[in-house]
Structure formats: structure tokens, C-alpha cells
Amino acid sequence: MAVTYRSAAGDVPAVRGVSLEVAEGEALGLAGESGSGKSTLAMALLRLLPKSARVTGEILLDGEDVLRMNWGRLRAVRWASASVVFQGAQHALNPVRRVGEQIAEPLLVHGMATQAEARTRVAGLLEQVGLPAWRARSYPHELSGGQRQRVMIAMALACSPRLIIADEPTTALDVMIQAQVLTLVRSLIADRGIGLIMISHDLSVLAATCDRLAVMYAGRVVEAGPAREVFTGARHPYGRALAEAFPTVGDPSSRMAPRGLGGDPPDPMRLPGGCSFHPRCPAALPSCAWRQVELWPADGVAGDPAGHAAGSTQARHTAACVHVLPEPERSEPERTGPGTPEPGMPEAGMPEAGMPEAEEAGPEAAGGQEVPNAPSAANASGAPDAADIPDDPGAPDARPAKESA
Amino acid sequence: MNETAARRRGALARFWRDYRAQRTGLYGAAILAVFVLLALVTPLVTDPSGLDVTKATGPKMAPPSAEFPLGTDESGRSILLMILWGSRVSLLIGFLAALLSMVIGTVTGITAGHFRGWSSAVLMRITDWFLVLPSLVLALVLAAILGGGTSTIILAIGVTSWAATARLIRAQTLAVEARPYVERSRVLGAGHWHVMTRHVLPNVAPLVLANTTLTVASAIVTESTLAFLGADAGQASWGSMLRGSYDWGAVTSGAWWYVLPPGLCIVAVVLAFTFCGRALEAVLNPRLRGVA
Amino acid sequence: MTLLEARDLHVQFASRGRRARAVDGVNLTVGEGEIVALVGESGCGKTTLARTLLGLERPASGTVLYGGAPLAYSTRALKAYRREVQLVPQDPTGSLNPRHTVYEAVAEGPRIHGLRDERERVASALSRAGLRPPERFFPVYPHELSGGQRQRVVIAGALALDPRVLVADEPVASLDASVRGEILSLLLRLRAELGLSALVVTHDLGLAWNIADRVAVMYLGRIVESGPVEQVLSAPSHPYTQALLSVLPDSPAPIVLGGEPPDPTRIPGGCRFHPRCHVLASGKAAEAGVDGLCRSQPLEILPSSTELRAACHYARARQPQL
Ligand SMILES: Nc1ncnc2c1ncn2[C@@H]1O[C@H](COP(=O)(O)OP(=O)(O)OP(=O)(O)O)[C@@H](O)[C@H]1O
Ligand SMILES: Nc1ncnc2c1ncn2[C@@H]1O[C@H](COP(=O)(O)OP(=O)(O)O)[C@@H](O)[C@H]1O
Ligand code: SF4
Ligand code: SF4
Ligand SMILES: [Mg+2]
Ligand SMILES: [Mg+2]
């Protein structure tokens, strides 16, 4: 799936070819810094994006393509099958209406309950999220941040959806309230078999809550796999930087040594060519400036890509970095792709308030086109077939996000 | 700094683009430009001696003719000449009175918004007092006490019309003062003056500009009303012309050329200022919300 | 040597007809070249304490001391004080006037204090804050910068006055995980290069572990445990610190404190933590025979000390030196 915003300044490719799937009762974590396209991806799943956004690809919800649904069906699906807990939810509640009414609204709108039924249902929902039933009569301002977040979750649960998309549900909260909300979310998935897509920039939070993780950078998934494995053994340098950003208290190696990543998030309108992470990458090779690698098995279990292709594309740990390629691939292949060589690596860590000329030249040439070499390089070695390259940006049949029943 | 200048120019260009989208604002600006231009060239192309009752040459109360395109008044003066010279007085009083009102209103508003506590309470009490007082009566009284003259009228209008501006500016000041950057400035050691001039004033300025434009319109109306009620500036203004036409029974005697031109001029200029003010509000206010 | 000190500080607000004791007796010192972290959950009074240390809030009682002398609240004295002690506010985006360029934002302090060589000062402050080359940033407006860069501009604005102490309120809370380490390293580097002291206010214990020498844990207006970071965070004595540490995402057995967030208008009697204390609830306090004390005997205000201290009856029953 790909999403492009059309803006006055030009097209913004916010999501560039992403394939994900979530099964029932499974929690998928989506990580990445701000602007990496996480929210855009989440909103696109339910077609909640503004008109200026163009979505391509397929979004399958129980096998049905969301992009081809008519409005009536879409509205029914939005609450009943899948619902969203928005980023900054604490400000998303209507300040002048009681929270009980707001939770009951989707039920009444969809004619799924009468007034009286709705009231009992609201009480039940509040209880599920750990709030006393009388809180239904409170106004949002009478609740603390964590309580408001719980109300939002209760609202999302109102129509018993099968999939919940939670966008940064704990980012504005402090550690204790974050823990309360996360405990709640975990128990909901476990007890009710709900699928969850949770978005955050804190990898440790996701690792503790989700089964699988996908790390996004500049609109693409650069690393994916089982949560613990990605968190503790990230193979992509960006995934590693995110995982290290929050230290383990008590770990002597991080004492007095905060670790982070230099440089700034890329401007989606002027993405660097090659691996879009290369200007900030501590492990970049010269070839990274023009060569973009696809997601590749990174779990150290070498070979047999065919067996891997048969199962879910994301059951395995994969990463999109030259360093995970098997040795023969890693050496620089002959340049065949378009794109002028860059006059030199832009200094990592330097800001680009519209400045470095080097980067402006690059993306025009390479970023706009299909990935130059990686697939051909891969095929040349005779190893995997196309199915092993799940994230081909721009490919019309990009893999769907689906919730398999 | 060159880049800063370029940015300012860019901001100005953006402002003009937004303003141009406001059709009524454009009409308003065009009408105003015509009036201001006429007021400016009048002394260059006409002779003010024709305004003197004793030197007036025309027939009395004559309807429009080739020599007097808008007819004459009771003393034989050319109505067109009076309109042209009167526009100078009306516009001058309108502008200066609005300026005075704006300065008083802005200073009071920012002060009342910046200083909390009793000084603010006292200022707001005074403001409320001016707000509920019938300002026209007050202006009449003031003009009567201070004696005639253009500056008296300006003063009378200015000091009676600032209260609404002050309230508006105070509200905006409170909003700006709640911004974290004001606290940061305090922590850097900033005193009251610095905060008020460097942070609050630039943020309320667009609001002040839009509001002043509207105030000019109301000041012109007030001037006319005052002149009509007898408190004129001692020079022919549109208001005093209306007064004259009333005194000499122009309406009953069918001398429409005496009544209509000043009346229409007042309406046109007031509408033009109102259009401009509304357009400015529309253009500047979203920016206030978005940026401040 | 102690540079900045809070002595028996109380700050109160009127809140819906009641008195909110936001800071309710705090002793705290920041020594020269020392980084102290103040941690605690939302609403426990951290920001209020930080603002009071900067003279933005007047204490109801108690004193702020700088270099051993009590803080005077005259305009002139405050202005002089604020050359020495600077704040890095909670929200870098809101803290920059959108109409001012980076140059103007950083030059604001030097202009207020009438310092000479404004341009050089701004340039050196920007480069010390890691925005290099500084000239490139002079004409840039805040909205053209990323969050991390904005935070650097705010830090540069403070550095332009050559302060000796920085009080940083949640310096990385509004930033992305990937920029977090950068800003924290910057604080460490400033300490190494300029001998800067810092009080870092945060709810993030990982941050304290990353950069602080000492940590003070605050609960409901009081410091309930303080001491060297290694000791406090590796072997927390106070049940509240234990709970805070246990809810970090990696921890094996989270102790999630339930209930409403603490309310400074209604501070419980006895130990102020007792309604939420898991040691008391699980009966361990009763085993040690301190449950009565927990419910009825308030703990005294912890003295400012560089040693490990905890305000808890149970912890003291086991480690009397606390
Ligand atoms: N101006 C004020 N008027 C009334 N109450 C206030 C005021 N400022 C703070 N408080 C109250 O004092 C307590 C401490 O607030 P403070 O902002 O210091 O908390 P904090 O620890 O910084 O929390 P956070 O992590 O959310 O910023 C809170 O209960 C708050 O509601
Ligand atoms: N309505 C919009 N118009 C144009 N660009 C947008 C719009 N919404 C988001 N973007 C851009 O898309 C990118 C991804 O945004 P978003 O999904 O919100 O990121 P995240 O949630 O990871 O912070 C950003 O560069 C953002 O500027
Ligand atoms: S492909 Fe190259 S630039 Fe990209 S993450 Fe891997 S090493 Fe870094
Ligand atoms: S004194 Fe008692 S109630 Fe308070 S923290 Fe210690 S054990 Fe818990
Ligand atoms: Mg987002
Ligand atoms: Mg705070």
C-alpha cells in the first residue's frame, strides 16, 4: 500500500509501499519517528485520510477491500469491524458532552442498541477499562489524562470491533499511567481476541505489548519481525538506534552514555536516493547512497527463502539493509540503476533546513524511480523469487494489510 | 540582514495574495484610494477662496449646472468644491481620531493585560465605564467644553471611542502572555517593557490594524453626527454640510444636490473602510490563530 | 560545593476553593558541575518546584538559595540571578516566538542584559548547542526546524547568557526517541566542557540513569527518596521508587499503582503514599510492625543530603541509616 499527499508544494509520498498483516488476537507494533508515516498508514486503513491523499494498493479487512467499499459499508465497518484510538486522544473528546454519551454514540448511530441498552453497555465498557460506572456522567475535563485515554479505548470497544488501531495511545502520559493503559490494552487483546495495531515511537513500549513489530522509516518498513527479536537484536541500523534510545535502567553500558541518532528526519518531499536512511546511518557503505535494499530475512537462518515465502511474510525477522544480505550480495554490484553519483556523502548529523545541495540532486534522480538494483541483484544470484521482496514501492499489487479471520 | 528583508517581502506578497481574494476588501480599497487621491490633489487644482461665504460668486441654492456641477448652497458656494475640501476635513478627522483611539486603546489593553492585580482592575473599570457611557453625548460635552477646532473634535472622538479596542487588545494580550515563550523571555531576565514591546505588541498588531480601519469608519460617522449636532471643526466637512442643508431646509425645498452628495460620500467612505477592515480581519485573523 | 539550594520550600495554589500544596516541604541541592534528576509522576509538583527555583513562583515559605545567599525578588536582583540560572522549558515549540528567527531567539537574552558582541555570543551559543555552522541557522524560523533542533535553539538561548546552572523541565519528553540521546549527550557535554550544573525534571527514570549523578524522587509535593543514581535506581528503598522502576517496559514484575492520580489539595495523613503503597497493602509493613506508623505517623521532611535517604517507615525499620 502507498499513500501520497498532494499539497501545494508538490506530492508528499508519506507511505511508500508497505505490506502488513494482523491476525485475530495478534498485536502488531508500528514504530518510527514522527513524520515516518505511521499515522498516515493507520488512517489509510479505514480511509480516514483527507481528500488530498491518494491511496494505492489493497487494504483487506476480513478479505474485503476497504478501498472499494461504498460509503454505507465503510461506515458500518468503521465502528463494528475496526476502530481507531486517535493520537492526542485526550483532546479528541468533545469537552461539552458527558463521556457516557460519547461512548454510546456509535452504538446508537449504528442502531445497535436502544437508549436503555446503550446505558448498560456503557457501564459495562467503563468497567472493562477500569473506570467506575458513575464516571459516565463526567465531562472530559473532570478526568485525568489516563482516564480520558481509557474513555477513548472504551469508545473504540463500543461496537465490539475485531481490530483496534491505537495511535500513540500513551505518548503524552507519564510512566505510571502508561503502565496502567498498557496493562489494560494487553488484557483486552488476551481476553477478547481483538487484533491490535499499536503505533508509538518508543520501541520498548511496543516490545512489551506487541507480538510483532514493524519499524518504519521515511514511509517504508525497514525492519519487521517478532517483537522481542527486533527489540533486542535489531539488524537495521535505524531499528537498532530506536531500540537503544531508551536505556535499561541498571545496565552499566548506558550509564552516563545516552545513545541516539544524529541528524534529522528526512523531508518526504526530498528523500535521499538509495537507502533513504544513508545520510544518518552510522554503518553506511558507499553503495548505500544509490542502492536500495528490500526487506530480507535477517534472523540468521540462512537459505530456504522458498519455505519462508509460503508462510506469512512477517513471521520472520526481516530487515532492509545491505548488512543483512548474504555475503555475495553485500559487495557492491555494478551500477545499473539511474541516478547520478552524489558529490559526496552529506555530512551526517547536519540539519537540512532546505540546504544541502547534495541531497537535492540525489532524490530527483533515484528516489522517483523504481528501486534500481536490489531486485535484479537478488535475482542475479538466483536465490529468491519476487515473493520474497514484499515491499516493492510503486508495485501495483503491493501486499495487502489484512485481518485474516 | 538581507534574508530577513526577503522574508518580509515574501510575507507581504502572501498578505497581498490573501487580501486580493477578498473581493469586498478590494472594492473598499479602490473607493478609498479614489477619495484619498481627490483629497490630496484638491489644494493643487482648486482655490479654497470659493469656500468663503463672503467671496462666494454663484447664485444661491442653484441646482447643478455646467459651472457648478453639483449646484450651490445657500450662500452661493459650489457644492462640489465644498465636498472636495470637506473630504479633507472628514478624512483627516477620521484618521487622526482613529489613530488616537487606537493608541489609547492599545496602550490600555496591553497594560491591563500584562499587569495583573489592582492596576489592571482599575484600568478595566475605567474601560468599562467608557464602554457604557454614551460616547456621542460625552464627545459633544467635551467639544463644547474645549471649544471648536479640528483638534478638539479629534480629541473628543478619540478619547470616547477607545474602550472597545482596549477590551479586544486585552483579551489578545492575555492569550499571548499565556504562551510559553513569554515565560522563557522572563526567565532570560526580560522586564515588563521588553515583554510588552517584543512579544505582545507584534502579536496584537494585526488585530490593531484591522480594528483601526473599522474605527476610522465610525470616527467619520461620529464627526458627521457631531457636526450635524452643531459641534463642527470650524471648516466645511461633510457633516457640517449636512447640517447646513438641514438648517436651510434643503430637503423640504427639494434641493437634493445639497443633501445627497455629502450623505453619499459619508456612506461610501464608511462602507469602504468597513469593507477594508473586515477583509483585513479575515486575512490576518487566521494567521493570528495559526502562528501566534 | 552547593550552588543552588531549596530549603524547606513550600508552594501553594488556590484551587477551586481549596489549597493545593503543590510543593510541600522540599530540601534539595545542586552542586557545582553536578547533574541532579528530579523524577516523579505527572502532577507531583516537579514543574512548580523548577519554576520556584527560578523565581517565577514565590514560595509560601522556605527559601531558594543561590551560592549560599537567599534569592531576592526585586526586579533587579531577579534579572541578575537569571544570568546565572537558566531554564530549558518543557515545550520547545511553544517556547519559541514563531515571529522571531533563530538569531533573534538566541540573541534575546544578551539583548536584555545589554551584553556586547551579540553576534559572536549567538554564534558560539548555537555551536555549543550543536547547531553548526551557526550562521546557517540565523535567519531560520522555528517552524522550519525539527523538534530536536528547536530544543537546541532553546538550549542555545539559555547558553548565550553563560549560566552556571540549567534547570531543564522534561527536556526530551516532546521529542522523538531518536533525537532523545542527542539532547541528553549535549547536556553531558556541556557539563564536561563548561562545568555546567543541571537540575533535570522528568518522569523518565531512564533519563536519570543516562545522565544524572544524583536523583530525587518526588511524590505529592515531597521528596521521598534521594541519593546517588546507582544506589537509588539499582536498589530502590522507597516503595514508590520501586513502583516507578517496576513499570518500565522491560521490567519483569510491574507494580502498577492504581487509583486516582495524587491530589495536592488532599494530602493523606500519616505517610502520604500509604493509600497506594503496595508494601502496606501486601502486609509486609505489618510484618515489620510499622503499619500503624504508616497510617498515622507523618514522615519528616528529608534533609538535603548527597547520601541515600528515603522517607519510609518500612525502609527505615530495615535500614536505620536512611
Ligand atoms: N497555577 C496553578 N494553579 C493551581 N494549581 C496548580 C498550578 N500549577 C500547578 N498546579 C497544581 O500543582 C500540582 C503540581 O503541578 P506541576 O505542574 O508542578 O506537576 P508536574 O510534576 O510537573 O506534572 P507534569 O509531569 O504533568 O508536568 C498539580 O496538581 C497541579 O494541578
Ligand atoms: N494532510 C497532509 N498533507 C500533506 N502532508 C501530510 C499530511 N498529513 C501528514 N503529512 C505528511 O506525511 C508524513 C507522515 O505523517 P504522519 O503519518 O502523521 O507521521 P507520524 O504519525 O509518524 O508522526 C509527514 O511528513 C507529514 O508531514
Ligand atoms: S542500507 Fe546502508 S545506509 Fe541503509 S541502513 Fe543499511 S547500511 Fe545504513
Ligand atoms: S511509610 Fe509505609 S506506607 Fe509509606 S511508603 Fe513506607 S511502607 Fe509504604
Ligand atoms: Mg503520528
Ligand atoms: Mg511538568
Side-chain angles (χ1 to χ4, degrees), chain B residues 146-235:
Chain B
L146 298 170
T150 313
S151 46
T152 311
I153 299 293
I154 292 172
L155 201 67
I157 298 176
V159 299
T160 53
S161 64
W162 54 269
T165 313
R167 277 220 156 266
L168 194 72
I169 299 300
R170 174 171 172 272
Q172 184 67 24
T173 304
L174 287 177
V176 175
E177 294 257 344
R179 304 263 159 198
Y181 57 76
V182 172
E183 175 151 307
R184 169 173 174 266
S185 180
R186 283 217 180 90
V187 173
L188 289 170
H192 301 297
W193 180 249
H194 180 94
V195 169
M196 288 195 282
T197 54
R198 297 284 298 149
H199 292 287
V200 177
L201 192 58
N203 267 299
V204 298
L207 199 68
V208 169
L209 181 64
N211 199 51
T212 308
T213 315
L214 294 173
T215 311
V216 177
S218 71
I220 289 176
V221 173
T222 313
E223 186 274 332
S224 307
T225 320
L226 285 178
F228 189 78
L229 295 174
D232 64 25
Q235 297 177 42

Side-chain angles (χ1 to χ4, degrees), chain A residues 150-176:
Chain A
R150 285 155 187 260
V151 168
M152 289 300 296
I153 295 176
M155 220 155 137
L157 289 174
C159 295
S160 316
R162 319 237 336 271
L163 175 68
I164 291 187
I165 302 165
D167 192 356
E168 309 258 8
T170 62
T171 300
L173 308 175
D174 77 31
V175 271
M176 192 54 72

Side-chain angles (χ1 to χ4, degrees), chain C residues 238-239 271 273-274 277 279-280 285 294 299 312-314:
Chain C
H238 197 283
C271 166
F273 184 57
H274 88 255
C277 179
V279 170
L280 182 61
C294 288
L299 287 134
C312 168
H313 297 301
Y314 177 71

Side-chain angles (χ1 to χ4, degrees), chain C residues 123-211:
Chain C
S124 91
L126 280 173
S127 48
R128 272 182 288 164
L131 293 173
R132 276 172 288 221
E135 286 76 16
R136 184 192 270 179
F137 291 91
F138 282 178
V140 174
Y141 280 89
H143 69 88
E144 297 163 307
L145 297 174
S146 70
Q149 288 176 330
R150 282 180 212 158
Q151 188 63 283
R152 285 164 188 271
V153 171
V154 172
I155 293 177
L159 291 181
L161 291 175
D162 296 327
R164 295 176 68 199
V165 185
L166 279 186
V167 177
D169 190 358
E170 306 276 12
V172 292
S174 55
L175 302 180
D176 260 341
S178 51
V179 234
R180 187 194 127 95
E182 290 259 282
I183 299 291
L184 295 185
S185 314
L186 171 63
L187 289 177
L188 277 180
R189 216 182 62 229
L190 291 173
R191 190 246 305 258
E193 287 170 8
L194 311 171
L196 213 61
S197 317
L199 177 68
V200 184
V201 172
T202 178
H203 62 239
D204 173 359
L205 291 164
L207 186 158
W209 180 259
N210 268 161
I211 65 168

Side-chain angles (χ1 to χ4, degrees), chain B residues 90-108:
Chain B
S90 288
L91 287 176
L92 185 75
I93 292 181
F95 274 123
L96 290 185
L99 197 71
L100 181 64
S101 154
M102 178 205 72
V103 170
I104 303 177
T106 308
V107 170
T108 316

